Amino acid sequence: MAAGGSYSMVEYFGGDGGYRCGYCKHEKGNFSHGMWSHTMTVKDYQDLIDRGWRRSGKYVYKPTMNKTCCPQYTIRCHALNFHPSKTHKKTLKRMNKFLSKGERPVEQNDVGHEGEPMDSMHEGVHPPPQDPLKIDLTDVEDIFTSPDPNTDTKSTTSSTSREDAAPVQADKTSNDAPKPGKGADPSRPLCRKAKDIRKERRLQKEQQKQQATSSIPAPSKSASNQPKLLEEFISEFLPNDPLHRLEVRLVPVRFEDPGFLASYKQSAALYACYQMTVHGDPPYECGESEFKRFLCDSPLEAESAPDGPDMGYGSFHQQYWLDDRIVAVGVLDILPSCVSSVYLYYHPDFSSLSLGTYTALREIAFTRQLQKQSPKLAYYYLGFYVHSCPKMRYKGQYRPSDLLCPETYVWMPIERCIPRLEISAYSRLNEDAKAGDAHALKDMGRALVLHRRTVMPYAAYTRKRKGSNDEKEVEQYASLVGQTCAERILLYRA
């Protein structure tokens, strides 16, 4: 049973047919399994994405890794140990220059430059059913106990500004003439070589510097060698009164939330603009209904926990407001162990600022912030890493990071995975030949199903429905979600 007494409930659709691949454009090369999630606890979804599943709206899918043309490996970044690369630092510096002085870099023609999100909304996704079964959840409301959603709190963070500390200035060196001394003419100084005079002046300067800084404690060796944190780079060189103001707002994806509702129209218009300009989608595919279905509808139940983050768990939009205008939105799921990036859309006018990279760095910093409130929440999930598609390899630049082994569901450091993926697009990844799936299906009879408003183990269902011919389908489903999830998630049976 899930936290708060609620269940997840899904309809499984299989996945035997091949579909067009969004990465290599193979017409029948994309294979995946899918299910429609009517409701989902954050615990169950965390366990599912740790078995290679991922959601698009309420549709949850899992690529058939050893069969699909472009295998998609779940990737996560260790947020607490992350240090920005040179490219990441340049992106943050570029943004801060724009905020401070309005300076914009030269426009880049290639939208897919390093770090930009190239996976469109539907790439790699088994097409969801157009008309899933309409289950009236009120008919089974005695089964579900809604958790107490603690999502009324709107977390607002803004770009902080910091003035650079002025370095300690050494006193000006003295240019006094040498003192009179003994010589051929006692009234005149001794004759000296120019290089000796320069050497003496250098020594004087060093002594004066030491005197000027003697009252300031020297930093310890460990502190001076400590690399700057990501958060420091984000706010570096920002003055107190920048030319542009950037504010980051986190709003829960709930129409009952005032912040989400007030910005809904502007956010939907930004999505349409992004899809048509960056991905070339026709207008009829970018309407408000599509926006709502893919980026606002979520199966995740809003939940709170004593050791969880202040805003609770669930689905959120992280909005980037530039001078009172939304210029980018990151769609996020906050789960017990991670912040999972669902999608990003932004205004094409600001593509030269590398908003894909910038927002990813802000999301890593956000994950680090949440970890202080919830110690288990320590990872940032970037979706899928597709090594066979060069434009998707940028996700591997957020290190340290791991890829999920598609057979044992054990996380492996990406550095050890790359050589294997260079040889073959599909790889087991786990180097231990004896390792297996710790949550492999062992007893299908214990899988939970929902039939006629009654929750029961599959074994009881088969006794009740003698002659049922869905055993292969249920076995496939339970194998894919694993024994643990099969015993918690309700599989709808008509």
Side-chain angles (χ1 to χ4, degrees), residues 301-327:
E301 295 285 345
E303 298 179 23
S304 61
D307 60 346
D310 292 342
M311 70 289 297
Y313 301 112
S315 296
F316 297 82
H317 281 189
Q318 193 163 59
Q319 303 171 339
Y320 294 78
W321 289 76
L322 180 67
D323 302 332
D324 301 321
R325 167 192 180 193
I326 302 178
V327 294

Side-chain angles (χ1 to χ4, degrees), residues 185-200:
D185 184 353
S187 65
R188 302 185 65 182
L190 285 167
C191 293
R192 302 170 64 197
K193 290 183 179 179
K195 66 177 183 180
D196 291 335
I197 296 174
R198 289 197 297 268
K199 185 177 180 180
E200 183 177 330

Side-chain angles (χ1 to χ4, degrees), residues 240-258:
N240 288 326
D241 55 345
L243 183 65
H244 296 290
R245 292 281 179 178
L246 180 66
E247 183 184 6
V248 184
R249 302 178 189 173
L250 186 75
V251 295
V253 184
R254 294 168 55 238
F255 283 93
E256 299 83 6
D257 181 81

Side-chain angles (χ1 to χ4, degrees), residues 197-232:
I197 296 174
R198 289 197 297 268
K199 185 177 180 180
E200 183 177 330
R201 285 177 177 172
R202 281 200 300 269
L203 289 173
Q204 288 177 350
K205 288 181 181 179
E206 291 298 325
Q207 291 173 355
Q208 289 167 350
K209 284 183 180 179
Q210 290 176 7
Q211 292 172 359
T213 59
S214 61
S215 60
I216 301 176
S220 65
K221 186 176 180 181
S222 59
S224 61
N225 293 336
Q226 192 73 20
K228 276 198 288 190
L229 298 175
L230 170 62
E231 292 79 0
E232 293 179 282

